Amino acid sequence: MSDGMPLPWPFPWSFPNPASSLSSIRTSALIALEIEPGKNASDQPFISAVQEAAAKLSEKFSTPLPVVKAAELYLIQALGEPIASPMAASKDGPLVVFPPEFLFVLDVGLEHLVGGSVIWETALPGYGDPEFPWKKEIALRSVRERTYRGLVYPAIAGSLMIGLVDGTDLSQIQQKLTDFGLQDVAGFGFFATANCAPFEEASICKKLENEFDFVKYAEMNNVVRIIDFSPGWSLTRLI
């Protein structure tokens, strides 16, 4: 799929307000995460929550998650042009037009890096997110590389898109895909979706293409983001 946030897309925030400034979001979130400057990222408090979520997904496929070797934290923000309004957080700099995303990246020695995305959502103008991060759902991502594209547009962990050769009967191939190790196989005519062992999706896709004649292509299910605004999506490493 194309790059971006999984559908359905979120609606833009009702900005501007005092909580929309870049510095206030970054500062408030780091305080909530109890991030300690200079401390090893893998020892930070919330890293264990991301690791546990990834381990739980891996266990569904009988593939234990290796020990975390290193960890990083990135801030992903959708930045729009400032609005001429007395309520605007900043008339000189860009505004955050979608809920900011904090992406934890763990290196566990697998093919892809483990990503854990947590969204910061301001409930009321001028206030922080009282549920961040511990009461937030962790969206697991499979990060192929530490680049802008790899981090801002990762894949949904363990999710595959499989193109089928014309005339393929899903009922006849579903068991073969299940025996291969895939789960939740569903067909939609000319393609199928399925879940696989996370953080090794690229290799699994190659095996599917090489092993089965009815597979036209197999690819990771990338996140989709709205891009019709500027300056656009920014990426900042925090730890």
Side-chain angles (χ1 to χ4, degrees):
M1 295 182 67
S2 58
D3 293 339
M5 188 171 289
L7 300 177
W9 293 327
F11 291 100
W13 276 0
S14 298
F15 277 128
N17 70 54
S20 64
S21 70
L22 307 185
S23 59
S24 65
I25 292 171
R26 182 184 298 113
T27 301
S28 299
L30 289 176
I31 292 173
L33 287 165
E34 300 178 2
I35 296 297
E36 298 181 28
K39 185 177 180 181
N40 190 303
S42 60
D43 295 328
Q44 300 288 358
F46 196 69
I47 295 295
S48 60
V50 177
Q51 183 180 5
E52 289 172 9
K56 185 175 180 180
L57 178 60
S58 297
E59 287 171 2
K60 292 179 61 177
F61 299 89
S62 301
T63 55
L65 189 74
V67 175
V68 176
K69 298 180 179 180
E72 302 161 10
L73 174 61
Y74 296 85
L75 173 60
I76 300 172
Q77 296 181 112
L79 304 182
E81 294 294 340
I83 301 172
S85 165
M87 295 178 61
S90 172
K91 296 182 180 180
D92 300 319
L95 296 176
V96 182
V97 296
F98 289 103
E101 175 182 347
F102 289 82
L103 180 67
F104 291 84
V105 177
L106 313 183
D107 183 353
V108 296
L110 293 176
E111 181 178 12
H112 303 307
L113 300 165
V114 175
S117 171
V118 186
I119 301 297
W120 170 280
E121 296 177 283
T122 302
L124 296 172
Y127 291 86
D129 185 343
E131 296 187 343
F132 182 90
W134 300 100
K135 295 183 180 180
K136 293 290 183 178
E137 179 181 356
I138 299 172
L140 291 174
R141 304 289 183 239
S142 190
V143 180
R144 283 158 287 193
E145 56 187 5
R146 290 183 181 87
T147 63
Y148 174 87
R149 186 180 183 85
L151 292 163
V152 177
Y153 301 103
I156 300 171
S159 180
L160 300 182
M161 305 287 289
I162 304 170
L164 302 176
V165 173
D166 292 343
T168 300
D169 185 346
L170 183 67
S171 62
Q172 297 181 6
I173 66 171
Q174 196 160 14
Q175 189 58 51
K176 292 181 180 179
L177 294 176
T178 300
D179 292 341
F180 178 80
L182 303 186
Q183 298 180 11
D184 306 315
V185 179
F188 303 91
F190 60 91
F191 77 97
T193 60
N195 293 327
C196 69
F199 319 119
E200 299 179 297
E201 297 91 345
S203 292
I204 293 174
C205 286
K206 290 181 180 179
K207 291 178 181 177
L208 283 167
E209 292 174 342
N210 293 332
E211 188 165 331
F212 299 111
D213 294 335
F214 56 80
V215 173
K216 185 183 299 184
Y217 65 84
E219 60 185 29
M220 300 167 69
N221 188 7
N222 292 334
V223 180
V224 177
R225 296 188 190 277
I226 300 173
I227 58 173
D228 56 348
F229 59 90
S230 75
W233 295 93
S234 73
L235 176 69
T236 305
R237 180 173 177 177
L238 301 180
I239 57 173

